[in-house]
Amino acid sequence: MISAPTDTRRRPSLSPAWAALAPLTVILALFFVVPIGGMVVTSLLVGGSSPGTSTFSVDNFTALGSGSRSMALKNSLLLSFTAASVAAVFGGICAWAISTVKSKVVDSLTAVISSVLANDGGVPLAFSFIVAVGNTGYFTALITAVDSTFTLYSVKGLILMYQYFLIPTMILLTLPSFVALKQQWREANTSLGGSSWTFWRRVGLPVITPALLGAWLLMFGSAFGTHASAAVLIGTGAFPLIPLEIAGQLAGSAATGGEGVAMALGVTTGVIAVIVLIAFNALTKRSAKWLNN
């Protein structure tokens, strides 16, 4: 009698480390998957023909193209683009200057100060600007001497306040790329008769541009989603923004039924954030391919 062959292949055992991920899985499910799923479902629900009934529709997303929602979307895109561009210029210059110093003390101070400032924000930041800048004072007089129309409680004030955390963010994101530019590339450029401008035009900028664009995108997303600082500084009606519009729609949802529109705004903001993160990751990998070889 011939017995059936036994299966001698070893089945992979479940590592105990997977069990340690169980709390993280629960947290992700409760605080990310369930809220996002609920937000998407609510954004697609509209009132039915009978009282108390709802049907699935894209009317809430269609409503984003009109009224204060459309204005808030345009303002948020314009504000985020301008604030991120200004921070990219000043932060990029600061990162390049710090990379040329080559001092461990400066690098340590830059890492500590930039990390603290990049994570600052919210209501304390807005109040600190109101106290430090406000309507009068030496700093305000200095700015109004250049631009007489400047006021802190406007879009220009928002752009100025956002630089407080966007410029340190730019320094943190781009300083490693500036430091990683190889000295051999500069020496090869010099030995071939190239100038400093030639190096940056043909080597430095092409290599580091993906990292600069990725940092700009991340700052764009950060400025787009800032809520508390803008709410304290300019309120909800002076300059409509997407985060302020979401808060306004939710506050009046009981009377106007704006919960679905608020969720549609939230889903749109989430899609923009995902696109920004995917593009940032792709650009960072493209720059690292050159700098890490």
Side-chain angles (χ1 to χ4, degrees):
M1 180 178 179
I2 301 175
S3 61
T6 58
D7 189 1
T8 59
R9 292 177 299 179
R10 296 182 59 185
R11 294 182 178 179
S13 58
L14 189 62
S15 171
W18 287 101
L21 294 177
L24 177 62
T25 305
V26 174
I27 291 174
L28 288 176
L30 291 179
F31 293 96
F32 287 93
V33 178
V34 174
I36 291 175
M39 186 169 63
V40 172
V41 172
T42 306
S43 68
L44 294 173
L45 287 177
V46 296
S49 56
S50 303
T53 61
S54 299
T55 58
F56 285 99
S57 173
V58 295
D59 289 350
N60 291 325
F61 289 93
T62 306
L64 302 185
S66 61
S68 60
R69 283 85 62 182
S70 175
M71 182 63 68
L73 182 59
K74 292 178 181 176
N75 289 341
S76 290
L77 292 174
L78 177 62
L79 172 65
S80 304
F81 178 86
T82 307
S85 299
V86 173
V89 172
F90 288 99
I93 293 174
C94 289
W96 166 78
I98 293 170
S99 68
T100 60
V101 173
K102 299 185 183 307
S103 168
K104 292 184 178 179
V105 176
V106 174
D107 291 344
S108 299
L109 289 175
T110 300
V112 173
I113 295 174
S114 298
S115 298
V116 173
L117 297 182
N119 292 288
D120 204 351
V123 176
L125 175 62
F127 276 116
S128 66
F129 264 78
I130 291 173
V131 173
V133 181
N135 293 321
T136 59
Y138 290 110
F139 192 75
T140 304
L142 182 64
I143 298 176
T144 53
V146 179
D147 183 4
S148 59
T149 63
F150 173 82
T151 173
L152 181 64
Y153 309 101
S154 66
V155 61
K156 294 180 181 179
L158 283 178
I159 293 174
L160 175 65
M161 183 178 65
Y162 284 8
Q163 302 310 309
Y164 187 83
F165 58 87
L166 290 182
I167 290 178
T169 302
M170 181 70 182
I171 295 174
L172 279 178
L173 293 174
T174 58
L175 181 57
S177 299
F178 279 107
V179 173
L181 288 175
K182 294 180 173 57
Q183 185 63 28
Q184 295 90 327
W185 297 346
R186 300 177 186 273
E187 294 172 353
N189 171 72
T190 303
S191 64
L192 293 174
S195 62
S196 178
W197 166 244
T198 306
F199 168 76
W200 282 107
R201 183 166 60 89
R202 295 186 175 181
V203 181
L205 284 178
V207 171
I208 209 169
T209 293
L212 296 176
L213 288 177
W216 182 88
L217 275 173
L218 206 62
M219 292 189 298
F220 178 89
S222 178
F224 193 90
T226 299
H227 169 249
S229 302
V232 172
L233 198 64
I234 66 171
T236 57
F239 189 74
L241 295 171
I242 288 293
L244 305 181
E245 186 68 21
I246 293 175
Q249 292 288 340
L250 287 176
S253 60
T256 63
E259 185 180 6
V261 176
M263 294 300 107
L265 286 168
V267 171
T268 304
T269 304
V271 170
I272 292 175
V274 170
I275 293 173
V276 166
L277 289 176
I278 292 175
F280 170 75
N281 191 42
L283 289 169
T284 302
K285 286 183 177 179
R286 184 178 180 83
S287 183
K289 182 178 66 176
W290 289 95
L291 295 173
N292 296 335
N293 288 331

